[in-house]
Amino acid sequence: MRDELIAAAEWVCQYLGQLPEAPVSRPMPARLRDAPLDRTGGELRQILDFVREEIAPFPTGNGHPAFFAWINSPPAPAGLIAELLAS
C-alpha cells in the first residue's frame, strides 16, 4: 500500500502543478466513453496507471483554476489531505 500511496501522491502533486497550463477541458474519446466497465477488478497499481494515462488527460474542468462553470472550486491541497485522513 505504501508504494501505491506514494506513487498516487506524487502523481497528484505533479498533475495539480501542471493543471494551470493544461486545457480546462477535453472531450473524452468514444473508445473510453463507450467502453464497458471491467467487472473483474485489477491490481491497484494498474488502476492508478489507467487513471493517469487514460482518464486524467480528459478533464471535465472542475479542477482547473480557470473553470468557473459550476460552484465547485479547484481542489485545495489541504482538502485532498483531509479527505485522505477522513477515509
Side-chain angles (χ1 to χ4, degrees):
M1 180 180 161
R2 178 183 304 271
D3 293 341
E4 283 81 8
L5 181 59
I6 290 169
E10 288 176 351
W11 174 73
V12 167
C13 289
Q14 178 185 17
Y15 179 81
L16 292 177
Q18 296 172 350
L19 198 57
E21 291 82 31
V24 175
S25 68
R26 287 179 55 197
M28 185 170 281
R31 68 179 171 78
L32 291 174
R33 189 181 59 244
D34 301 334
L37 293 175
D38 184 358
R39 297 182 181 268
T40 60
E43 295 293 322
L44 181 55
R45 179 58 74 135
Q46 291 172 323
I47 295 168
L48 294 172
D49 290 343
F50 178 77
V51 170
R52 184 182 68 248
E53 296 165 10
E54 298 289 336
I55 303 298
F58 306 100
T60 58
N62 60 336
H64 196 284
F67 185 78
F68 301 111
W70 298 336
I71 296 171
N72 296 23
S73 61
L80 294 171
I81 294 168
E83 287 291 330
L84 173 64
L85 295 174
S87 53

